Amino acid sequence: MADNTEPRKELWILGIKPGSGREEILSSYLGAGGYTCKFEQYENLEAGRPLGIVLDISPFSEDGWGILLKIKNSPITRDIPVLPVFLSEKGKVGGVFPVAGFFTLPVDAQYLQNRLAVYGLTEEAETWDLQSLVVSRSGEEKLSKAIEALGFEVIRGYTGKEALALASIHPVYMAFCSQMLLDMSAFELQERLRLDPYSSNTPLFVLLKDDMKVGEKQAMSREIAHLVRKKQLSCDEFLAYLRRRE
């Protein structure tokens, strides 16, 4: 018999307006997966330190993108894993975006090294010639140099389509992508990379601007809306994303 005193893994749900009821479906899914979930506010995050955060970034969220930036800009909270989800106005789960992680720009080289080491992504670079894909309109020279210092060869792409073409020619060990490109979002790029057997398991890190205007946040929410299913994800479909992150 299982030990009933064993602590359950607590996840926080953020980005949902209090009293809206939009968290009910998500809470039921998490509960079915054996998680203790808590509907919370960002202001309590530093003291609470949950196992992870499920964050609504839809147009119906309570500043989901702003909350994500606050989490990743703070040294106290930036290491907490965040799973972005798209909830409908009624709270139905329409999309899940399990990227490997987030970095705010400009990326600190030492922090980058520390996080990649935690993920176990730096060990192989000492033995093998590995490529890392950086996708950004600006090229992100500082980030590229920091990645090269870890022993990786950097391949640059400036649009999503170019990145997909490069990944099909040069299988890459990991990828970094600006949240918004000229032709697609980082989330769409990830979805399309996963369709290719050569890049289906490539970890993708999203690069966030350290500040976003209201219009930029709205544009990003609209950009990912077309990736969302019209029919909500089932409980099993949703929990599959969490199980891969344990």
Side-chain angles (χ1 to χ4, degrees):
M1 181 179 294
D3 184 356
N4 292 330
T5 63
E6 181 182 350
R8 302 177 77 195
K9 298 178 179 179
E10 182 177 82
L11 298 177
W12 281 17
I13 300 174
L14 299 181
I16 299 178
K17 186 176 181 179
S20 66
R22 295 181 61 244
E23 79 285 359
E24 293 178 0
I25 295 175
L26 191 56
S27 297
S28 68
Y29 282 6
L30 291 169
Y35 291 91
T36 299
C37 58
K38 191 175 182 181
F39 176 63
E40 264 291 353
Q41 299 296 307
Y42 170 79
E43 290 71 22
N44 301 324
L45 187 57
E46 290 188 5
R49 300 288 296 175
L51 171 72
I53 297 165
V54 181
L55 177 65
D56 180 22
I57 54 170
S58 74
F60 312 105
S61 71
E62 190 179 37
D63 194 23
W65 289 108
I67 293 173
L68 179 60
L69 273 180
K70 290 177 182 177
I71 293 170
K72 296 306 174 182
N73 272 325
S74 169
I76 299 176
T77 61
R78 63 186 178 183
D79 293 342
I80 302 174
V82 176
L83 179 64
V85 299
F86 189 107
L87 302 182
S88 74
E89 189 172 7
K90 300 295 185 180
K92 295 180 179 179
V93 183
V96 182
F97 307 102
V99 296
F102 296 89
F103 291 101
T104 54
L105 295 171
V107 174
D108 177 81
Q110 186 60 55
Y111 179 64
L112 173 73
Q113 179 179 346
N114 293 343
R115 292 310 298 165
L116 294 182
V118 168
Y119 293 128
L121 294 173
T122 56
E123 299 172 2
E124 298 293 329
E126 299 176 1
T127 307
W128 307 99
D129 294 326
L130 300 175
Q131 290 76 42
S132 178
L133 178 63
V134 175
V135 193
S136 171
R137 287 178 285 181
S138 66
E140 298 300 340
E141 187 68 23
K142 182 178 179 180
L143 170 63
S144 296
K145 288 182 178 179
I147 296 171
E148 288 172 341
L150 297 176
F152 296 91
E153 177 188 351
V154 173
I155 302 172
R156 293 184 181 85
Y158 297 91
T159 67
K161 290 181 179 178
E162 185 178 4
L164 291 168
L166 289 169
S168 67
I169 299 171
H170 305 282
V172 295
Y173 189 66
M174 60 182 172
F176 299 81
C177 181
S178 298
Q179 175 54 46
M180 287 294 293
L181 302 168
L182 290 172
D183 54 349
M184 66 182 70
S185 69
F187 292 158
E188 180 174 355
L189 177 62
Q190 183 192 40
E191 291 290 316
R192 296 177 67 172
L193 285 172
R194 289 171 66 186
L195 297 176
D196 188 326
Y198 291 105
S199 57
S200 59
N201 294 316
T202 302
L204 184 143
F205 296 91
V206 178
L207 306 173
L208 301 169
K209 294 172 58 178
D210 63 355
D211 187 29
M212 296 182 197
K213 297 178 181 178
V214 174
E216 290 176 314
K217 297 174 186 176
Q218 294 173 343
M220 285 191 291
S221 292
R222 290 194 299 268
E223 178 63 26
I224 64 174
H226 74 280
L227 301 175
V228 174
R229 293 191 190 181
K230 293 182 179 179
K231 182 180 180 182
Q232 77 173 33
L233 273 68
S234 69
C235 181
D236 287 342
E237 288 171 328
F238 171 76
L239 289 175
Y241 292 99
L242 283 175
R243 287 171 185 149
R244 283 200 289 270
R245 293 170 62 89
E246 289 181 344

